[in-house]
Amino acid sequence: MTTQHYRQEVLALTMRWVRRLSREKFSMLFTLVQPMLFWLIFFGNLFQHAADTQVFQVENYMSFLAAGVVIMTVLNNGLSGGVDLLFDKENGFLERLMATPIHRTSIILSRYLFVITITSLQILVILAVAFLFGVTPETGLLGVAVILFIGMLFGIGLTAISLALAFSVKSHGDFFSVLGFLSLPMIFLSSALVPLAAMPGWMRAVAFLNPMTWVIEAVRPLIISGWAAALPQVAIAIGILVVFDAICLYGGAQAFRRAIG
Amino acid sequence: MSSSLAIEVTGLGKTYGTLRAIEDLSFTITKGEVFGLLGPNGAGKSTTLRILITLLRPTTGRATVLGHDVVQDAAKVRGLIGYVPQERAIDRFLTGREHLVLLGHLYHLPKLEAQERIKNLLKLVELEDHADRIAKTYSGGMKRKLDIACGLLPNPQLLFLDEPTLGLDVQSRLRIWDYIRGLRDQGITIVMTTNYLEEADLLCDRLAIFDEGHIRVIGSPKELKAGLGGDSLSLTIHNARPDMLERLSAGLKPLPFIRETRTKDNVIHVKVDSPEKSLPAVLEIASRVDCQVETIEYHRPRLDDVFVAYTGHAMKGEFPEVESE
């Protein structure tokens, strides 16, 4: 196995995901548009007047919501990152790939490259749409880069969970049940939609244990406050994500080995 | 190990929890032959195939493919073999050509060589005109052809086919059989699983009959059938008296191509070696001893009979599902 071979495999497999997405135009549209349309524009405008500026600490609810929508997108993309491999497993394509002399990790790596690229593009589109509604990130372009980096770190762990699930479940029915069970509580038991301070006590306690909260608490000041407020939060988030990713990757690797060996 | 061996399997076993999928299998496959793994679903043939193509690790025993251990040298084995999975393992959003290009990269083929091979393979399986259509629009037979082209892309010395004609219509099935014969003529060793007796009979040089995780018997279809005691001939005699049948039996016994005779009521059962010699002779002797033959039944053992003889039960399902071309 040379690095040249490895690069050839990973590139070809990644291009397959890109090609598939471009063939599924309908799905592509939904993937890209759904989070900003639904959450950012509808939710943002709907709650603009209901939102109490005392609670949210900002004039524009959308500027508060932007961080939540960015991270919800990372959550959804990450948790569904394994779906295509699950379908490959179910229709035998994965077996065909595994019977070729490729390095086992190139399939996983291709999936990561694809999910991270798509997610980053979506984050940029969301921030652009928010910008049109008057939300300008206080930390500028460098802040946007940090948001992309944090999103990527969070996405790595989430995709690992999704892949582990894909390799462990019996059918895609099971997969989507678990996914649905996982994703909504992750959103509502975090500070995506309302600040921690405004939550009932028990919810706040649970939200503290949700890594998603910490990620949002780092992204939000990057958008609405500035570097001074954001830096300590970013440091905490990165620390938490490193641990989170390590656990998820370990679990994912175990599931992968069990399924393949 | 001898270089004429393509595959050598010793004491192979695979257990899932408490379920024993296969147990203590040992066999060899010679280079250049078409070897069939025949048996009903769940008999262990797919498990065996998956171990040979390195997708499953055996629990016990070992297997070598072209001299390489399927566990220790898995990557080496993968590079030498071609595999056509049982399911239509097709990405419905890719075109036929894109499938082959993708696999070309996964086998690390240089670009020009990949292009050349893809062109030839598309021609071989008659998909040239459909190569740039999305596989979603392919018929069952076309998907199978693409599957086979994918299996042949690495230019393998050894090709594994898992249920190559499952669910295909008659026309596509015949076409696939032609390809398989063509590949054998090129010297490619072929290992295939099937649960169609007819397919095994027509295509395989040798086959292993699987049942409940064990191999019951291995041999060529001809040997296996001959092993059941040859063809049998049953004559019903009009107005038969016991002494007539005895005289007939006595007249037949000395003939070299008659193996045994058995009488029951007005019927005489004769095991014979060849129909060409036995039929005229039997009829001639019958008329000489004044036996008037009412009906004649000639039965040549089929693979079904072999299967029943070695497993104790019939194998169900001749070409059940059909998908149109």
Side-chain angles (χ1 to χ4, degrees):
Chain A
M1 173 60 53
T2 63
T3 43
Q4 195 200 340
H5 282 173
Y6 194 63
R7 202 179 312 132
Q8 189 180 12
E9 296 161 17
V10 173
L11 189 67
L13 290 166
T14 310
M15 283 317 290
R16 170 176 170 235
W17 303 122
V18 174
R19 197 161 278 144
R20 276 178 67 117
L21 185 70
S22 72
R23 299 268 155 83
E24 293 177 279
K25 297 220 165 56
F26 197 65
S27 148
M28 181 164 77
L29 200 70
F30 267 78
T31 315
L32 286 172
V33 170
Q34 198 256 4
M36 31 192 172
L37 200 71
F38 183 69
W39 291 104
L40 196 66
I41 300 179
F42 290 172
F43 221 69
N45 284 310
L46 189 65
F47 281 76
Q48 178 60 48
H49 299 294
D52 186 338
T53 48
Q54 290 294 64
V55 173
F56 290 96
Q57 309 286 321
V58 280
E59 285 301 318
N60 187 348
Y61 177 61
M62 200 178 281
S63 63
F64 174 87
L65 193 62
V69 175
V70 163
I71 297 308
M72 278 193 302
T73 303
V74 174
L75 179 80
N76 286 332
N77 287 4
L79 286 182
S80 56
V83 178
D84 289 75
L85 277 181
L86 177 63
F87 287 130
D88 274 357
K89 186 178 94 173
E90 284 184 342
N91 76 12
F93 202 84
L94 185 64
E95 202 161 75
R96 184 197 283 299
L97 298 180
M98 293 310 244
T100 65
I102 55 172
H103 195 273
R104 288 341 203 191
T105 56
S106 52
I107 296 177
I108 305 292
L109 185 61
S110 75
R111 199 61 210 160
Y112 266 110
L113 285 176
F114 176 74
V115 172
I116 287 170
T117 308
I118 292 295
T119 308
S120 301
L121 287 175
Q122 269 178 284
I123 292 176
L124 291 176
V125 174
I126 291 167
L127 292 176
V129 171
F131 181 75
L132 293 179
F133 280 88
V135 181
T136 317
E138 292 294 326
T139 49
L141 286 179
L142 189 59
V144 172
V146 175
I147 292 173
L148 288 177
F149 177 71
I150 292 175
M152 189 181 81
L153 273 187
F154 191 36
I156 287 174
L158 292 167
T159 308
I161 293 177
S162 182
L163 290 170
L165 201 59
F167 285 115
S168 313
V169 293
K170 294 215 159 50
S171 72
H172 62 264
D174 291 357
F175 181 87
F176 288 112
S177 308
V178 178
L179 212 65
F181 184 77
L182 215 62
S183 83
L184 275 183
M186 285 275 278
I187 292 171
F188 284 102
L189 294 172
S190 79
S191 55
L193 307 173
V194 281
L196 284 169
M199 285 184 175
W202 69 269
M203 278 181 92
R204 193 183 318 142
V206 181
F208 269 117
L209 298 173
N210 183 352
M212 183 154 160
T213 301
W214 296 99
V215 179
I216 293 169
E217 290 302 304
V219 173
R220 185 163 291 142
L222 284 168
I223 297 175
I224 62 178
S225 308
W227 287 110
L231 275 179
Q233 291 294 332
V234 169
I236 294 172
I238 289 174
I240 287 173
L241 285 178
V242 166
V243 176
F244 175 72
D245 286 353
I247 295 170
C248 294
L249 286 172
Y250 178 77
Q254 295 290 6
F256 186 61
R257 209 164 292 146
R258 236 193 342 268
I260 303 308
Chain B
M1 78 169 274
S2 147
S3 63
S4 69
L5 284 186
I7 289 177
E8 190 170 25
V9 171
T10 10
L12 204 65
K14 176 74 186 176
T15 332
Y16 297 99
T18 55
L19 181 81
R20 291 197 177 131
I22 53 169
E23 227 180 320
D24 198 27
L25 304 185
S26 298
F27 59 91
T28 56
I29 297 176
T30 312
K31 279 185 186 163
E33 70 177 340
V34 178
F35 191 89
L37 313 177
L38 175 73
N41 293 334
K45 54 194 184 351
S46 283
T47 301
T48 308
L49 187 91
R50 277 187 176 69
I51 291 173
L52 292 177
I53 60 176
T54 76
L55 292 183
L56 271 183
R57 279 164 172 271
T59 318
T60 57
R62 67 190 295 260
T64 57
V65 170
L66 299 166
H68 305 285
D69 189 280
V70 296
V71 177
Q72 265 111 57
D73 301 326
K76 186 96 195 183
V77 172
R78 284 179 205 128
L80 295 171
I81 60 171
Y83 170 46
V84 180
Q86 176 174 356
E87 298 99 331
R88 309 281 144 64
I90 299 289
D91 183 334
R92 39 203 295 278
F93 294 104
L94 298 186
T95 66
R97 192 188 306 279
E98 283 165 353
H99 278 85
L100 294 165
V101 170
L102 171 66
L103 285 170
H105 286 301
L106 302 188
Y107 284 103
H108 314 119
L109 300 180
K111 199 172 175 194
L112 284 178
E113 194 181 342
Q115 276 173 357
E116 185 65 23
R117 280 194 205 175
I118 290 169
K119 206 177 86 191
N120 293 337
L121 283 172
L122 286 171
K123 200 166 168 185
L124 174 77
V125 298
E126 299 155 294
L127 279 180
E128 291 158 301
D129 297 339
H130 311 286
D132 297 309
R133 261 170 56 194
I134 289 190
K136 187 156 56 169
T137 65
Y138 283 14
S139 68
M142 287 163 74
K143 285 180 185 165
R144 206 65 193 144
K145 288 174 176 182
L146 176 58
D147 262 340
I148 290 183
C150 289
L152 289 171
L153 187 75
N155 218 351
Q157 302 170 45
L158 188 53
L159 182 68
F160 290 89
L161 300 158
D162 199 0
E163 304 282 355
T165 65
L166 187 72
L168 289 186
D169 62 288
V170 178
Q171 239 184 346
S172 305
R173 174 171 299 125
L174 294 175
R175 183 57 50 80
I176 302 295
W177 286 350
D178 279 345
Y179 296 149
I180 294 175
R181 290 195 190 98
L183 295 172
R184 183 195 37 202
D185 294 345
Q186 287 172 38
I188 298 177
T189 310
I190 293 169
V191 181
M192 58 186 274
T193 68
T194 179
N195 54 39
Y196 297 143
L197 291 158
E198 188 193 345
E199 184 165 278
D201 203 354
L202 282 170
L203 288 180
C204 298
D205 296 314
R206 284 197 311 141
L207 46 95
I209 293 186
F210 277 70
D211 191 45
E212 292 170 351
H214 294 272
I215 292 180
R216 300 298 182 196
V217 66
I218 297 181
S220 72
K222 211 173 157 188
E223 276 165 23
L224 293 175
K225 286 184 276 190
L228 294 185
D231 300 3
S232 63
L233 195 58
S234 306
L235 296 111
T236 312
I237 309 298
H238 186 66
N239 286 334
R241 293 188 312 271
D243 63 300
M244 282 162 71
L245 289 179
E246 256 166 52
R247 265 184 292 151
L248 177 55
S249 180
L252 291 173
K253 268 180 184 151
L255 297 175
F257 41 81
I258 302 289
R259 294 201 190 175
E260 61 170 79
T261 62
R262 203 155 41 82
T263 58
K264 194 180 176 229
D265 303 330
N266 60 343
V267 182
I268 179 163
H269 299 281
V270 190
K271 290 263 187 199
V272 300
D273 277 342
S274 75
E276 301 80 18
K277 290 181 192 157
S278 59
L279 253 180
V282 169
L283 290 176
E284 195 208 309
I285 292 172
S287 88
R288 203 193 305 155
V289 298
D290 293 327
C291 285
Q292 199 185 332
V293 178
E294 206 171 70
T295 61
I296 302 178
E297 256 180 60
Y298 192 86
H299 182 72
R300 162 162 284 180
R302 301 192 307 158
L303 213 46
D304 311 42
D305 303 307
V306 175
F307 194 84
V308 173
Y310 285 100
T311 66
H313 56 84
M315 199 169 132
K316 289 180 284 288
E318 280 295 279
F319 306 146
E321 329 140 47
V322 161
E323 209 173 281
S324 60
E325 170 95 4

